[in-house]
Amino acid sequence: MIKVAVNGYNVIGRRVADAVALQSDMQLVGVAKVKPDYKARSAVDKGYRIFAADEKGMKAFKDAGLTCAGTSKDLVSEADIVLDATPEDVGSQNKQMYEALGKKAIFQGGEEHELAGTSFVAQCNYEKALGKKYVRVVSCNTTALCRVLHAMDECFGITKANVVIARRAADPDEGGKGPIDAVVLDPVTIPSHHGPDVNTVLPNFPVISMAMKIPTTHMHLHSLIVSVKGNSVTEDKLRDKLEKTPRVMMVSSKKDGIKSTGNVMDLAREMGRSRNDIFEAVVWKDSLKVIGNEVYLFMAVHQEAIVTPENVDAIRAMMETSDRESSMNATNKTLGIAH
Ligand code: NAD
């Protein structure tokens, strides 16, 4: 059993903790949290041990009537590996603690590639993480782009990828964040960080990205224009490849009536997915278009959920307990991902 600690328990941390708890080869040692709020109570109800960020935090948990098993340092000491799901730039501060305690750690996409030295998307570069001490699971947008672009590159050879990303402005529990009624260029300058971030996993072709924030909380929407080598690409071949690509879900506006990110979230509810999570990159079948050697498509990304399976696979790769296929299959099975 691999003993796993989850440090930071909100959007990403809650999901990876639940996913770890589902794995037959892993034991969730506990979760570290700052506030004794309803999320902490629900963790206790699930039987998770709660740890506070520091001694002061322990008192806050005790005052709130919640059993606190210690500080995050105590939690990390008990684990073989830490999943750090603290906010952007906090992970880099935590690295000193992991290093001092001699523990392996997985960081998230809000941290810089250099913090870990290995950026990870299971189906693209699982083997690069084998035995590593530190790995960074890339962001939600980067994960989706890597899955789809890697598949296209394998099949047709990419020369250049352009992507325009309409980003959800805030996660559903971030009531204080805007914009409420504006589209914010994020950033105005080009490229946004997403394209270069894809190159930390797939370095062999340029990815130029532009991004904006839109007033929604559920899902990003990507518009892709990808140039490929030669003239072998056709819409049928592309659809065939993406249908077989792991962790990519094809939907159709014509057949399924899925025309919006709202429909995709509703589909997750109909599927009975916990927290309405869509772990797959969602590609619209009827958006696939080939003009000459250029491929066009629309893709939606559930920002809260898509990196969950990658975090689980990164654990097995770093602990060297499984090969890529076995790990991805085990993770998919427990999370209800079809392939
Ligand atoms: P979040 O702010 O929702 O959750 C982080 C949690 O960590 C909070 O509850 C915070 O109180 C807690 N925390 C802060 N400092 C801590 C400490 N020292 N010890 C323990 N807990 C601490 O953040 P998130 O959205 O879950 O993002 C986590 C990471 O995942 C970031 O790097 C982010 O960029 C990345 N990521 C986020 C998303 C997303 O859409 N939210 C998607 C993919 C990747």
Side-chain angles (χ1 to χ4, degrees):
M1 292 291 259
I2 307 169
K3 291 184 189 166
V4 184
V6 173
N7 193 16
Y9 189 74
N10 196 34
V11 175
I12 302 301
R14 281 184 282 162
R15 287 170 169 82
V16 295
D18 286 357
V20 165
L22 289 172
Q23 309 307 310
S24 59
D25 55 344
M26 297 181 196
Q27 182 200 340
L28 180 69
V29 179
V31 301
K33 222 189 149 319
V34 174
K35 287 185 197 143
D37 56 11
Y38 70 94
K39 298 163 194 171
R41 286 185 194 283
S42 123
V44 171
D45 290 345
K46 289 179 183 185
Y48 300 165
R49 292 164 78 217
I50 305 255
F51 294 73
D54 50 30
E55 305 266 340
K56 207 171 135 200
M58 282 180 73
K59 184 173 176 326
F61 278 89
K62 280 172 189 155
D63 290 349
L66 289 170
T67 306
C68 181
T71 63
S72 49
K73 198 173 165 191
D74 298 324
L75 169 64
V76 172
S77 305
E78 287 188 36
D80 299 318
I81 186 163
V82 194
L83 266 165
D84 187 297
T86 58
E88 196 173 318
D89 295 332
V90 178
S92 55
Q93 296 163 31
N94 289 338
K95 189 179 174 188
Q96 284 176 359
M97 178 192 5
Y98 308 148
E99 214 149 36
L101 294 169
K103 302 296 178 177
K104 291 182 186 254
I106 297 171
F107 299 98
Q108 306 301 315
E111 309 301 332
E112 300 293 327
H113 166 78
E114 289 69 28
L115 182 72
T118 304
S119 288
F120 180 83
V121 176
Q123 65 213 66
C124 304
N125 65 353
Y126 184 94
E127 292 71 18
K128 279 225 161 123
L130 286 173
K132 286 276 159 68
K133 190 151 192 208
Y134 303 115
V135 162
R136 165 182 173 259
V137 168
V138 294
S139 76
C140 45
N141 286 307
T142 306
T143 300
L145 284 168
C146 285
R147 288 182 192 165
V148 165
L149 292 176
H150 179 252
M152 278 192 212
D153 192 42
E154 264 185 347
C155 214
F156 310 111
I158 293 178
T159 55
K160 187 173 80 155
N162 297 318
V163 55
V164 180
I165 306 175
R167 300 177 54 196
R168 62 85 182 97
D171 289 327
D173 69 337
E174 294 178 313
K177 271 196 183 174
I180 291 173
D181 185 16
V183 176
V184 180
L185 306 177
D186 186 34
V188 175
T189 51
I190 295 158
S192 66
H193 71 275
H194 308 93
D197 201 32
V198 171
N199 286 141
T200 63
V201 179
L202 305 175
N204 295 332
F205 49 84
V207 185
I208 295 104
S209 57
M210 303 165 75
M212 67 198 85
K213 280 201 279 199
I214 55 168
T216 65
T217 63
H218 61 258
M219 304 199 94
H220 306 297
L221 195 282
H222 292 209
S223 311
L224 268 75
I225 303 174
V226 183
S227 304
V228 296
K229 291 174 191 157
N231 287 316
S232 67
V233 62
T234 64
E235 280 153 26
D236 284 347
K237 283 189 202 165
L238 181 62
R239 189 177 52 248
D240 201 44
K241 177 69 181 169
L242 291 177
E243 269 171 352
K244 290 180 190 142
T245 300
R247 298 175 182 167
V248 170
M249 184 193 288
M250 302 292 275
V251 296
S252 159
S253 71
K254 287 187 196 119
K255 274 194 182 165
D256 311 324
I258 296 176
K259 297 181 183 174
S260 70
T261 55
N263 291 142
V264 178
M265 284 285 94
D266 200 38
L267 171 67
R269 285 191 278 266
E270 286 305 296
M271 291 167 81
R273 287 273 178 97
S274 161
R275 297 194 179 92
N276 307 331
D277 280 347
I278 294 275
F279 306 110
E280 301 88 340
V282 180
V283 174
W284 269 270
K285 234 182 262 192
D286 37 358
S287 74
L288 299 181
K289 184 81 190 162
V290 174
I291 302 175
N293 65 344
E294 278 183 343
V295 171
Y296 297 74
L297 63 84
F298 284 126
M299 169 170 78
V301 180
H302 185 197
Q303 80 280 356
E304 300 169 286
I306 191 168
V307 299
T308 309
E310 313 303 322
N311 273 284
V312 175
D313 292 328
I315 294 171
R316 292 198 187 93
M318 292 166 73
M319 298 304 294
E320 293 183 282
T321 56
S322 183
D323 62 29
R324 173 175 24 160
E325 207 186 333
S326 318
S327 177
M328 288 183 69
N329 286 344
T331 308
N332 286 355
K333 202 170 164 200
T334 51
L335 296 181
I337 300 170
H339 66 280

